[in-house]
Amino acid sequence: MIPQIRMEEVAVRELAGLCEFQTFDEQVAELGDTSDETLMERMKFKAGMDLFHGS
């Protein structure tokens, strides 16, 4: 059996002590508490297909 692991779990382990890591879910939740246009644009990009196909 091959264990399943989410990419976020790998990132949390690998980035520990190197930088602050915030999951996609945490970033989305933060949108409800902010009017930061930069954050909103970043999340729109991550949620779209341009992240994978380029602009």
Side-chain angles (χ1 to χ4, degrees), residues 24 41-54:
F24 184 77
E41 287 301 316
R42 189 172 76 230
M43 294 308 296
K44 285 179 189 177
F45 176 75
K46 288 181 179 182
M49 292 306 292
D50 283 345
L51 177 64
F52 301 102
H53 297 290

Side-chain angles (χ1 to χ4, degrees), residues 2 18 23 26 34-35 48:
I2 299 173
L18 297 175
T23 67
E26 290 169 334
T34 187
S35 60

Side-chain angles (χ1 to χ4, degrees), residues 7-47:
M7 194 60 163
E8 291 173 339
E9 294 174 51
V10 173
V12 167
R13 269 194 253 161
E14 295 299 318
L15 298 175
L18 297 175
C19 65
E20 184 178 329
F21 179 79
Q22 191 178 38
T23 67
F24 184 77
D25 293 340
E26 290 169 334
Q27 292 175 43
V28 170
E30 187 178 322
L31 284 175
D33 299 331
T34 187
S35 60
D36 182 346
E37 290 293 324
T38 305
L39 176 61
M40 289 182 209
E41 287 301 316
R42 189 172 76 230
M43 294 308 296
K44 285 179 189 177
F45 176 75
K46 288 181 179 182

